[in-house]
Amino acid sequence: MKTMIKLRLTVGVAALAFCLASIRPVRANSAVIPSDLPVEQALLTSAPAVPPPITRKHASKVIVNLEVREITKHLADGVDYVFWTFGGDVPGSFIRIREGDLVEFHLNNAPDSKMPHSIDLHAVTGPGGGAASTFTAPGHSSQFSFLALNPGLYVYHCATAPVGMHIANGMYGLILVEPKEGLPPVDREYYVMQGEFYTTGKFGEEGVQPFDLEKAVDERPSYVVFNGAVGALAGEKALKANVGEKIRFFVGNGGPNLVSSFHIIGNIFDTVYEEGGTVPSQHNVQTTLVPAGGAAIVEFQPKVPGTYSFVDHSIFRAFNKGAMGMLKVDGAGNPIVYSGKQSDTLYAGTSNEVAAVVKKKSPDVAGLDTQYAKGKSVFLQTCFACHQPNGQGLPNVFPPLAGSDYLMADKQRSIAIVLRGCNGEVSVNGKKYVSSMPALSVLSDRQIADVLSYVRNSWGNSGQAVSAEEVRTVRQAPVSDAAAASTAAPAGGSSAFE
Ligand SMILES: [Cu+2]
């Protein structure tokens, strides 16, 4: 092992010397690179943060200082792992530069590291993507430079042998080479990177878990995670956004083995830059593939609040191996875009046998709970458009059913209102309404019984249930002229019910 490291070091130093030598002529060649490029230090961020968009309109010489550290951290609750990191975290620090920049790269390997490391940046045009030039022993620092010729979102990773093991231990990250014209502005950008971990113990087995080479070779990870740990982007650490904001995820996949089927549950990608390229390659995408050692840029705009999980849709990875993160979206709901649950009723199935049994049971035997649930369903299909979801009504237009003295005072009358409508002046809780409610006689006796039982026992109301018998009686009773009402179809009503 020692000789191997020594050998690699020599190769590394030789490569470095070569590299340094080769930089000079490039720098001197002012026709290619102006020697007086403004110099700036790259701002690196830890995931899920992304450095701000680049606003300058010229190339710069950008100095990147990245430190490799080997550290023990949580892989999951009670599970620790010795991660090898670029910058102290998995994934490694996000690097953001501009197309045409000259990057002076310093790879610093912490003195307490046990291993030599290096970096292969897929954004580099040149042998090994910088790997040989950056082969760095513990307590050493390597420098090389490259010209960012191609814009795009690129993976970087350690390329020291055994490469698979270095990557499997967390040595990967993303570098964005912003196109000269920049990326379209968005409200938020996040950095999400998938990777698998191969531990001796099974998923969740506690303690410090060693790397398992055999599992890695067999591609049987115990963990598949976003941002280096199970739950790294969940609960308190969930990503945040507001309704209507344009959101961009820079999605990377460190692998080392698996391809990710990246998907956000309950949001559609308006735009995907497949494979991290610079052309928006698709609109309206559900799931995008992110290759191992590859990336993708996805953009979307949540329209309604909620907590949205994003997953590798190879779904056992999400639910059994950790590949799930969360985006918590705040803001006002929009029931047109998404209503939320409108009803939950019993469903007897279509099998004749079952239906027959339920039919026999339902009118007489069905309990109050069932009647209540069915009534709620009728309410949400027929009455709520006017009386509002919680029966609170609309000032001066629709009287409230919640806490309505008028509703509760007379059961017979409330049945008649639904059957024949309500016209003229009514006084509810001391407030007068002069409006008109259409007759809803298209509803069956049972539906009217159910809905009235529901409204008479909801939102603070409590009263006797209404039976289908009672409704039938009122329906068949002679209608006095005064009570006669329109026969208009119900607004937003549904006769398909039952
Ligand atoms: Cu390494």
Side-chain angles (χ1 to χ4, degrees):
M1 192 65 178
K2 241 189 185 153
T3 37
M4 201 178 89
I5 292 173
K6 226 182 198 164
L7 195 104
R8 296 204 147 265
L9 255 179
T10 341
V11 172
V13 168
L16 182 72
F18 171 78
C19 206
L20 282 173
S22 63
I23 285 168
R24 260 174 228 123
V26 177
R27 275 186 180 156
N29 187 351
S30 57
V32 183
I33 308 274
S35 54
D36 54 351
L37 278 180
V39 179
E40 65 180 66
Q41 196 78 29
L43 172 78
L44 307 185
T45 58
S46 299
V50 178
I54 293 171
T55 50
R56 63 182 151 82
K57 297 279 173 270
H58 56 82
S60 283
K61 179 169 140 186
V62 180
I63 299 169
V64 176
N65 260 292
L66 191 54
E67 188 186 46
V68 173
R69 273 183 274 160
E70 300 169 0
I71 44 174
T72 307
K73 280 190 167 195
H74 284 313
L75 174 56
D77 265 353
V79 184
D80 283 339
Y81 193 84
V82 182
F83 294 94
W84 298 352
T85 73
F86 286 109
D89 285 301
V90 178
S93 309
F94 197 104
I95 306 168
R96 188 170 200 154
I97 57 173
R98 183 177 176 273
E99 176 185 4
D101 282 350
L102 178 68
V103 181
E104 182 184 292
F105 204 98
H106 300 258
L107 189 70
N108 312 315
N109 194 353
D112 60 353
S113 290
K114 297 202 170 58
M115 292 286 171
H117 298 286
S118 60
I119 193 166
D120 166 353
L121 300 123
H122 293 178
V124 167
T125 305
S133 316
T134 53
F135 182 86
T136 311
H140 284 247
S141 173
S142 299
Q143 179 189 335
F144 84 115
S145 72
F146 69 95
L147 192 58
L149 295 171
N150 298 67
L153 179 63
Y154 297 94
V155 166
Y156 65 78
H157 60 86
C158 184
T160 299
V163 176
M165 178 178 177
H166 283 250
I167 295 177
N169 284 342
M171 298 199 78
Y172 43 78
L174 289 180
I175 175 169
L176 174 68
V177 182
E178 251 192 83
K180 280 187 173 136
E181 63 282 6
L183 288 171
V186 290
D187 298 300
R188 281 172 203 267
E189 293 180 328
Y190 284 119
Y191 173 18
V192 176
M193 195 157 187
Q194 183 171 323
E196 324 93 68
F197 288 88
Y198 299 87
T199 56
T200 316
K202 288 197 191 108
F203 179 87
E205 210 166 297
E206 301 203 339
V208 180
Q209 288 293 324
F211 168 71
D212 187 318
L213 181 63
E214 197 179 310
K215 281 189 182 171
V217 172
D218 293 348
E219 306 190 9
R220 280 187 295 115
S222 309
Y223 296 86
V224 182
V225 298
F226 294 121
N227 291 10
V230 176
L233 296 172
E236 289 291 288
K237 288 178 272 177
L239 303 179
K240 294 188 175 55
N242 295 312
V243 164
E245 285 181 331
K246 280 196 174 164
I247 299 167
R248 174 180 291 140
F249 276 12
F250 295 106
V251 186
N253 184 6
N257 291 316
L258 303 183
V259 169
S260 174
S261 302
F262 191 73
H263 173 81
I264 302 189
I265 301 173
N267 271 292
I268 295 153
F269 301 136
D270 295 317
T271 299
V272 173
Y273 297 69
E274 270 170 55
E275 296 169 1
T278 46
V279 180
S281 47
Q282 268 295 6
H283 296 297
N284 309 316
V285 172
Q286 58 195 307
T287 301
T288 193
L289 281 174
V290 189
I297 302 173
V298 298
E299 293 170 0
F300 58 100
Q301 192 180 25
K303 306 288 193 301
V304 287
T307 297
Y308 297 91
S309 297
F310 43 94
V311 298
D312 179 339
H313 214 298
S314 290
I315 209 72
F316 276 98
R317 298 177 190 168
F319 291 100
N320 301 71
K321 296 187 171 184
M324 184 179 291
M326 281 166 198
L327 173 72
K328 199 174 164 296
V329 177
D330 284 328
N334 182 342
I336 305 288
V337 175
Y338 185 76
S339 70
K341 186 163 191 161
Q342 290 179 312
S343 75
D344 182 341
T345 60
L346 288 184
Y347 175 62
T350 49
S351 137
N352 287 340
E353 230 169 89
V354 180
V357 171
V358 171
K359 221 174 194 160
K360 232 206 246 151
K361 265 174 108 182
S362 111
D364 326 292
V365 187
L368 261 184
D369 282 357
T370 315
Q371 190 177 30
Y372 190 84
K374 289 194 165 182
K376 184 171 184 182
S377 163
V378 175
F379 180 83
L380 289 171
Q381 291 182 57
T382 309
C383 325
F384 98 108
C386 299
H387 292 287
Q388 303 302 299
N390 292 312
Q392 76 272 28
L394 274 183
N396 305 321
V397 186
F398 300 116
L401 300 179
S404 160
D405 55 357
Y406 190 84
L407 164 72
M408 299 310 288
D410 188 337
K411 187 156 74 159
Q412 244 52 38
R413 183 175 62 193
S414 69
I415 298 171
I417 286 174
V418 177
L419 279 169
R420 305 192 180 110
C422 184
N423 293 291
E425 188 180 298
V426 292
S427 172
V428 180
N429 301 337
K431 285 212 177 94
K432 287 203 173 88
Y433 294 82
V434 190
S435 184
S436 143
M437 166 177 156
L440 299 172
S441 52
V442 291
L443 295 173
S444 70
D445 293 346
R446 170 130 301 276
Q447 285 175 317
I448 292 174
D450 290 347
V451 73
L452 283 173
S453 299
Y454 170 71
V455 301
R456 287 167 57 83
N457 289 283
S458 296
W459 321 300
N461 298 346
S462 85
Q464 280 175 334
V466 176
S467 71
E469 270 305 295
E470 289 173 290
V471 178
R472 189 176 318 135
T473 310
V474 177
R475 200 193 283 268
Q476 286 165 355
V479 180
S480 72
D481 282 356
S486 79
T487 50
S494 161
S495 51
F497 187 82
E498 210 170 87

